[in-house]
Amino acid sequence: MSTRYQLFIDGAYVDGTGPDSYEVRSPATGEHVGTIPIPSAADLDAAVKAANDAQAAWARVNVWERAKVCHRIGDELAKRVDELARLQTLEQGKPLAESVADIEEAAQLFHLHAEDAVRLHGETMPSTVDNKRMFTFHAPVGTWGIITPWNFPLLMLAEFVAPGLATGNSHVVKPPANTPLTVLKAMEAFVAAGLPEGLVNIVAGEGATGDALVRHPGIDAIGFIGSSATGAKIQAAAGLKRSIMECSGNGPLVVLADADLDAAAAAAVYGAHLCSGQVCCATERVIVHADAHDGFVEAVLRAAEKVVLGDPFDAATNLGPLNNEGVAAKMDRHMADARDRGGKILTGGGRRSGTPTDLYYEFTVVDDVPVDSLLSREESFGPVVPIITGANDDELLRIANDDKLGLQGAVFTQNMGAAFRFVEEMKVGQVVVNDSTCFWDINMPFGGAGGRGTGWGRIGGKHTLLDMSDLRTGVFSL
């Protein structure tokens, strides 16, 4: 039975004033599991006003007190891990173990950023004028409009809201239309932690809600995680508002001739089945040195045998369904294009029949992928390992950089000099040496490279606090 949810505005769950709603369908079971009100313009105005009013008071609260509240939110989320993880798996489709890890990490982020905030220091600098003294400090930006994706619904809210609260900001969040339930349920933890009313507001809805949020004159800054196409639309609408934009990746995993092939294969398979490959830093392209090709393919097929597609609530499952028909249809197009262009599908390649929904996609390995194919040129966002072969290191690097996206990449090699070359010359925000493109640490700065279509700003550690703060300068005349 579908549960009717409410909006969360000014510290309380409230019915929307608009007439419309929509249903959230579980990709795992096919059931309608939540009825979501679509917020009216009046609802959005109320959420923004609550955030503006609360932020003015919150900015005057000292950082140690703000940190205490963040710690309490982390504690309250930790108490609810099992409940929130089960709800997330129901609406998102990922294996339950992955959902547990997501919620635990979301809780950890509030503790991390509480500690970061109390150590966010300014500096003094000498003036060229004798009677002047200058110093800097960090001030909150104001009210942030946050738009998050459906692959990690609560975790990616925490990536913005935890540092935002710690630095004195308020938030109006539009969670993803496909996966809003966990976010709305999690607000119970924020209330239990004693978060002042109005600092976090949730206006679940669809694209029109996000557009209205971005354009709202009461929103000072935008935080977005999602596709590059949507990011471009948001930036065009936001104008000169401050923003953090983490957009699509097409992560290259490069395997040099001297690589540990079993380790590289395990990393490639992990990066393709985590969250069913629906991750911005998934294994989107594996670019292999010709001398390592045959051994790598054999190792990938061995590793792929350990991937179990099935019921995400079953402990034996490590690959759940895709979240929605849009991403499944994209996988279908990419597989058809790969076949037409001569790619060799070694395992998988389509949807599994006889499952509760048609979103269960077989784990797929494709060899001899042409560099101009959709598998190479676009972010597939599904459980696929596309293998491209290069003749030498120069060609591997050229193929890795021959793409408009530049989020996170990886390189496998035992040669330190080669590793440094790829770290320095791959046009991505982060390069992971001898591990998956999906490696993530909550304390690392994560984001796109300049000159690519992957956004700007950094998620992770003190860097998000810096991006969510204004650097102010005081100048005194003595």
Side-chain angles (χ1 to χ4, degrees):
M1 179 179 292
S2 179
T3 301
R4 186 166 187 84
Y5 284 77
Q6 296 174 294
L7 307 176
F8 186 80
I9 297 175
D10 204 12
Y13 289 101
V14 297
D15 292 326
T17 62
D20 299 323
S21 63
Y22 70 95
E23 294 288 335
V24 174
R25 175 176 176 255
S26 170
T29 68
E31 302 169 282
H32 285 147
V33 292
T35 302
I36 306 298
I38 296 176
S40 67
D43 296 328
L44 183 58
D45 287 343
V48 173
K49 182 180 185 304
N52 291 166
D53 292 347
Q55 195 276 326
W58 187 239
R60 293 191 293 270
V61 174
N62 77 69
V63 67
W64 298 96
E65 293 302 316
R66 296 199 301 261
K68 288 178 183 178
V69 173
C70 288
H71 279 304
R72 291 201 298 268
I73 293 171
D75 290 341
E76 291 294 335
L77 287 173
K79 293 177 184 177
R80 295 164 169 80
V81 166
D82 291 341
E83 177 186 27
L84 292 173
R86 294 192 69 83
L87 182 56
Q88 179 175 280
T89 288
L90 184 65
E91 66 171 339
Q92 204 282 334
K94 66 175 61 183
L96 184 58
E98 289 186 20
S99 286
V100 168
D102 288 356
I103 309 305
E104 290 176 340
E105 192 166 296
Q108 190 180 8
L109 278 167
F110 283 91
H111 295 300
L112 171 75
H113 290 307
E115 297 297 328
D116 284 336
V118 299
R119 294 169 177 81
L120 193 63
H121 301 155
E123 62 179 346
T124 60
M125 66 285 295
S127 171
T128 58
V129 181
D130 290 344
N131 72 329
K132 296 292 190 290
R133 300 294 183 269
M134 303 186 297
F135 70 97
T136 62
F137 63 99
H138 299 279
V141 173
T143 295
W144 284 73
I146 305 296
I147 299 175
T148 55
W150 45 260
N151 49 358
F152 297 86
L154 184 59
L155 177 56
M156 291 188 173
L157 175 146
E159 288 176 351
F160 283 119
V161 171
L165 287 175
T167 48
N169 296 282
S170 65
H171 312 78
V172 180
V173 182
K174 194 208 83 65
N178 293 344
T179 56
L181 310 184
T182 310
V183 167
L184 285 164
K185 185 67 175 175
M187 291 304 105
E188 294 176 1
F190 288 66
V191 172
L195 180 70
E197 297 173 357
L199 289 176
V200 179
N201 304 270
I202 309 297
V203 287
E206 298 178 302
T209 302
D211 184 68
L213 175 63
V214 168
R215 296 176 185 276
H216 199 287
I219 294 296
D220 300 306
I222 305 297
F224 172 73
I225 301 175
S227 74
S228 295
T230 302
K233 293 177 182 177
I234 287 173
Q235 196 57 39
L240 294 178
K241 292 178 180 178
R242 176 81 60 85
S243 64
I244 300 173
M245 308 291 288
E246 185 203 302
C247 302
S248 302
N250 195 15
L253 188 154
V254 180
V255 182
L256 303 191
D258 67 338
D260 180 332
L261 299 184
D262 286 330
V269 170
Y270 170 77
H273 80 71
L274 177 69
C275 195
S276 300
Q278 300 164 129
V279 187
C280 57
C281 53
T283 305
E284 292 287 350
R285 297 176 293 153
V286 181
I287 307 165
V288 184
H289 194 288
D291 292 345
H293 172 269
D294 292 350
F296 176 78
V297 170
E298 292 173 2
V300 164
L301 292 176
R302 288 194 301 270
E305 293 175 356
K306 299 177 183 179
V307 179
V308 179
L309 173 63
D311 177 3
F313 289 99
D314 186 332
T317 296
N318 59 10
L319 177 65
L322 296 171
N323 176 259
N324 59 76
E325 176 58 29
V327 73
K330 186 177 186 180
M331 277 291 294
D332 289 340
R333 290 196 303 274
H334 285 197
M335 289 301 103
D337 180 74
R339 291 185 179 95
D340 290 345
R341 293 174 181 271
K344 298 176 183 176
I345 298 176
L346 304 182
T347 187
R351 308 188 197 207
R352 176 175 290 180
S353 60
T355 52
T357 73
D358 59 358
L359 298 175
Y360 288 78
Y361 217 95
E362 296 281 359
F363 188 80
T364 300
V365 178
V366 186
D367 196 12
D368 295 341
V369 172
V371 294
D372 60 349
S373 67
L374 296 180
L375 275 176
S376 175
R377 291 296 187 190
E378 297 182 1
E379 182 183 39
S380 294
F381 230 57
V384 56
V385 177
I387 301 171
I388 302 168
T389 305
N392 51 53
D393 288 5
D394 289 341
E395 186 175 9
L396 299 180
L397 183 61
R398 179 186 59 76
I399 295 171
N401 286 337
D402 184 22
D403 187 79
K404 65 182 182 299
L405 303 177
L407 188 54
Q408 180 152 296
V411 60
F412 274 80
T413 180
Q414 303 302 311
N415 184 304
M416 188 65 71
F420 266 95
R421 180 192 179 191
F422 277 81
V423 167
E424 293 178 355
E425 296 185 24
M426 283 177 68
K427 295 178 181 179
V428 294
Q430 304 77 224
V431 177
V432 181
V433 178
N434 293 331
D435 206 338
S436 169
T437 57
C438 266
F439 175 79
W440 162 254
D441 188 297
I442 61 173
N443 209 29
M444 68 182 277
F446 185 88
R452 312 306 250 185
T454 313
W456 46 83
R458 289 294 181 264
I459 300 294
K462 71 176 183 180
H463 303 278
T464 316
L465 280 78
L466 292 170
D467 283 343
M468 297 189 80
S469 300
D470 270 336
L471 182 64
R472 304 277 184 86
T473 301
V475 180
F476 281 74
S477 300
L478 303 181

